[in-house]
Amino acid sequence: MIPLSLLPLPLIHPSSESSCAYVLIVTAVYWVSEAVPLGAAALVPAFLYPLFGVLKSSEVAAEYFKDTTLLLMGVICLAASIEKWNLHKRIALRMVMIAGAKPGMLVLGFMCCTVFLSMWLSNTSTTAMVMPIAEAVLQQLISTGIADAQDDSENATDTPDSGEILICLITIGVSRVSITEPPPKKPKIRRNSMYPTKRDHMICKCLSLSITYAATIGGLITITGTSTNLIFAEQFNNRYPDAKVINFGTWFIFGLPIALIMLLLTWVWLHFLFLGCNFKETCSLSKKRKTRREMLSEKRIHDEYHKLGPISYPEVVTGVFFILMTLLWFTREPGFVPGWTSLFEKKGYRTDATVSVLLGFLLFLIPARKPWPSVSSSQVKGQSDPLAPMITWKDFQRLMPWEIVILVGGGYALAAGCKVSGLSMWIGRQLEPMNGLPPWAVTLLACLLVSAVTEFASNPATLTVFLPILSALSETLQINPLHTLIPSTMCVSFGVMLPVGNPPNAIVFSYGHVQISDMVKAGFGVNLIGVFVVMLAIMTWGVPLFQLNEFPAWAVMRNVTSSL
């Protein structure tokens, strides 16, 4: 009924603008309602634009595969190698070993680990990787707490409440670790709950929610950290091809301080909400304050790390590629010094996608076995083929989010239609009454609006709808478009109050430790923290980084026909 009920719009007012608006509204409704899969809804412009004469079929098709698609494919190749050779597990164990066994420090350790992984992997993949490890920790907490309760009832002695400390007993070791303890007897406390004590339940909630929030925070740091960053980069470069200000380096410099501040404030907020204000007790690193059980827990963490054995050759190769990709992205066009692209005669041919695809291709080519004979490397994960590559196509295919690729392509198609039809200029003219607002007020309103909408709609779909509108608004108000687009792009990731807000929320919610009321209460605080930190960033270090005090020449509105 949606397409039929909206048909009067292009029929009564036959024009390019109304036809494009019809396609935009229909696609947006399907995205928000998810009446059909997001990828399927993204195909609506592919047949409606040609039918209404907005864009040719070949022009629409060209929008569905862009430079950022190749960038994503290269990153997924590296992510497949990281997951296949368990490098993420080694990183997680090491970081939690550093954090220690105290509940507060354990949560912080998980958050730091998740943030780091989410910088390079998708938020969903990171959550799916880390959450099973955390679940093994939480299950050990529950079983240990029940055993402690039984011991207390039998011995009638006061045992310190260290059940939550033993959270990390088998910890972070392996996502599918088997616990070979005898089944504990039914505890005498909290008989109607699966959790031995209320505090154990609070720790389960805190650790679970910290992972999804940390995955969201980590995705803000790099341009490849989340699909919404890629959508912004491609749409911005398409709309403003003369603006050479958005690359891996500038985004990292802007996003890293935001993530660090948000990480600290979010940890404090979750600690206050679920663990109370006794930071000294739950975060102390002093050995004198550790109980025997806590020291035993740390010993078990070290044991699980040692079970991984020495670092393998494929892990070394993956780590080298990881560092190499990062360095090449940073040094391509750092801005303050000439990058490695200046070594080539022809300029503008090489992008971050070039590096990503090159290194991703080499992972299919390089054997996973050492090139020199070694007894320990006679077989790698049971592979008998001496030329078996680091990753196979099945490894890549298993992680490649094709639905996101099509979704992003649909967003590019919508943006192209809005530009060619003149709908963007029409929207900009309707927003002229906002001329009296200062730039910070416009940015704040945009951030609050997108962060509210994204709670009920998917992040990519929300951003795809709002980017053309905010671009037209910025041009009309003579504001640097980056002043509104970058904060909105970051705030669209703050759909953290409901399980439907984003896939990491749904993954964490499916484990059953948190209720919707817990997510709403904790997520509201995280949302406010995120908007505050992003506004702080765009008003301080973002100004000299992107020259936000002036309306740039590349943003001057041009006549559509002359530009074509």
Side-chain angles (χ1 to χ4, degrees):
M1 295 301 297
I2 292 297
L4 293 178
S5 61
L6 294 175
L7 262 181
L9 177 62
L11 295 181
I12 297 177
H13 301 283
S15 64
S16 296
E17 292 92 336
S18 61
S19 298
C20 182
Y22 171 78
V23 178
L24 178 63
I25 295 173
V26 170
T27 307
V29 168
Y30 279 137
W31 272 339
V32 172
S33 65
E34 296 191 47
V36 295
L38 293 177
L43 295 174
V44 170
F47 60 85
L48 283 187
Y49 273 162
L51 288 177
F52 283 102
V54 178
L55 284 174
K56 294 180 180 179
S57 183
S58 58
E59 294 172 338
V60 179
E63 298 295 330
Y64 279 85
F65 199 97
K66 292 288 189 177
D67 183 68
T68 48
T69 306
L70 293 175
L71 176 64
L72 180 61
M73 292 176 70
V75 171
I76 293 298
C77 288
L78 181 61
S81 182
I82 290 174
E83 181 176 342
K84 180 177 182 178
W85 303 112
N86 284 329
L87 183 59
H88 67 289
K89 189 179 299 181
R90 187 178 294 275
I91 294 172
L93 273 169
R94 172 56 68 178
M95 295 190 72
V96 176
M97 285 168 58
I98 295 173
K102 291 287 186 178
M105 297 307 297
L106 183 65
V107 171
L108 183 60
F110 262 108
M111 292 185 71
C112 292
C113 172
T114 306
V115 165
F116 178 76
L117 293 175
S118 187
M119 288 169 59
W120 318 105
L121 313 178
S122 72
N123 298 353
T124 305
S125 298
T126 301
T127 306
M129 287 178 184
V130 177
M131 195 58 202
I133 301 175
E135 179 63 13
V137 172
L138 297 177
Q139 290 302 323
Q140 183 62 24
L141 160 70
I142 294 171
S143 62
T144 304
I146 293 175
D148 286 347
Q150 181 63 28
D151 291 341
D152 288 345
S153 64
E154 291 178 353
N155 300 330
T157 56
D158 293 331
T159 303
D161 186 14
S162 57
E164 75 269 8
I165 311 302
L166 220 50
I167 283 187
C168 37
L169 193 55
I170 289 231
T171 111
I172 306 134
V174 186
S175 58
R176 290 179 176 84
V177 63
S178 60
I179 303 172
T180 58
E181 293 186 2
K185 298 179 181 179
K186 191 175 182 180
K188 294 188 176 182
I189 49 178
R190 291 190 62 130
R191 295 178 181 275
N192 297 325
S193 173
M194 62 176 289
Y195 305 97
T197 66
K198 182 180 179 180
R199 183 165 178 78
D200 292 332
H201 194 185
M202 292 296 104
I203 293 173
C204 290
K205 290 181 180 182
C206 186
L207 186 57
S208 299
L209 289 175
S210 70
I211 292 174
T212 181
Y213 298 153
T216 297
I217 294 171
L220 303 176
I221 301 178
T222 60
I223 200 72
T224 60
T226 183
S227 58
T228 52
N229 294 356
L230 293 173
I231 292 173
F232 159 75
E234 187 62 34
Q235 288 207 20
F236 179 81
N237 290 330
N238 280 348
R239 188 179 182 95
Y240 308 109
D242 296 331
K244 306 297 182 182
V245 291
I246 298 297
N247 54 50
F248 185 88
T250 56
W251 188 276
F252 185 88
I253 293 172
F254 180 74
L256 181 60
I258 292 177
L260 294 177
I261 297 173
M262 277 196 67
L263 174 65
L264 180 60
L265 294 180
T266 301
W267 174 71
V268 171
W269 166 243
L270 292 177
H271 195 291
F272 167 77
L273 201 60
F274 296 107
L275 303 180
C277 299
N278 193 357
F279 289 89
K280 184 177 181 180
E281 177 66 26
T282 61
C283 304
S284 174
L285 296 178
S286 173
K287 291 185 177 181
K288 294 181 179 180
R289 299 182 64 90
K290 293 180 181 177
T291 66
R292 185 182 65 85
R293 288 180 178 271
E294 292 168 8
M295 291 187 285
L296 179 62
S297 300
E298 292 188 354
K299 181 179 181 301
R300 293 295 294 273
I301 297 175
H302 285 75
D303 291 343
E304 290 296 338
Y305 181 81
H306 292 318
K307 286 181 182 179
L308 293 177
I311 188 168
S312 64
Y313 173 73
E315 287 180 274
V316 173
V317 174
T318 303
V320 170
F321 271 60
F322 177 83
I323 297 172
L324 186 61
M325 183 179 289
T326 306
L327 289 177
L328 290 176
W329 277 342
F330 265 115
T331 58
R332 182 175 66 85
E333 289 179 354
F336 50 90
V337 292
W340 55 264
T341 54
S342 61
L343 301 176
F344 296 88
E345 183 178 351
K346 293 184 177 181
K347 310 298 181 184
Y349 281 73
R350 290 146 291 274
T351 65
D352 290 339
T354 310
V355 174
S356 178
V357 174
L358 171 61
L359 296 182
F361 171 77
L362 291 178
L363 288 173
F364 289 102
L365 190 65
I366 297 176
R369 185 180 294 185
K370 291 181 180 179
W372 55 89
S374 173
V375 176
S376 61
S377 62
S378 58
Q379 278 196 338
V380 179
K381 272 197 172 183
Q383 293 180 356
S384 58
D385 184 3
L387 296 180
M390 291 286 296
I391 60 173
T392 63
W393 187 256
K394 288 184 178 180
D395 298 327
F396 167 78
Q397 182 73 10
R398 185 168 49 85
L399 291 183
M400 184 62 191
W402 292 112
E403 183 182 40
I404 294 297
V405 171
I406 298 175
L407 176 63
V408 172
Y412 300 155
L414 285 177
C418 290
K419 180 179 179 181
V420 172
S421 67
L423 180 62
S424 294
M425 297 181 66
W426 181 87
I427 293 174
R429 289 194 295 269
Q430 310 311 307
L431 298 174
E432 286 181 356
M434 297 180 67
N435 268 330
L437 293 177
W440 68 266
V442 176
T443 302
L444 179 60
L445 289 175
C447 290
L448 294 176
L449 180 61
V450 298
S451 61
V453 172
T454 196
E455 294 290 351
F456 307 96
S458 73
N459 300 352
T462 302
L463 187 66
T464 302
V465 171
F466 275 96
L467 277 180
I469 298 174
L470 293 176
S471 297
L473 173 63
S474 300
E475 294 165 0
T476 302
L477 302 183
Q478 298 288 293
I479 300 173
N480 190 320
L482 292 174
H483 204 294
T484 56
L485 297 184
I486 291 180
S488 299
T489 299
M490 291 194 161
C491 288
V492 84
S493 296
F494 299 152
V496 293
M497 293 175 60
L498 296 171
V500 298
N502 56 48
N505 287 4
I507 292 173
V508 168
F509 185 75
S510 67
Y511 279 80
H513 296 296
V514 297
Q515 299 176 340
I516 291 182
S517 58
D518 298 319
M519 298 193 76
V520 171
K521 183 166 55 174
F524 182 73
V526 174
N527 217 324
L528 293 181
I529 290 171
V531 172
F532 167 75
V533 176
V534 169
M535 287 299 300
L536 175 67
I538 204 67
M539 299 299 294
T540 53
W541 64 86
V543 174
L545 184 62
F546 300 114
Q547 290 82 46
L548 299 179
N549 284 332
E550 57 186 25
F551 187 68
W554 47 260
V556 176
M557 295 179 65
R558 297 179 177 86
N559 185 280
V560 174
T561 54
S562 65
S563 66
L564 294 176

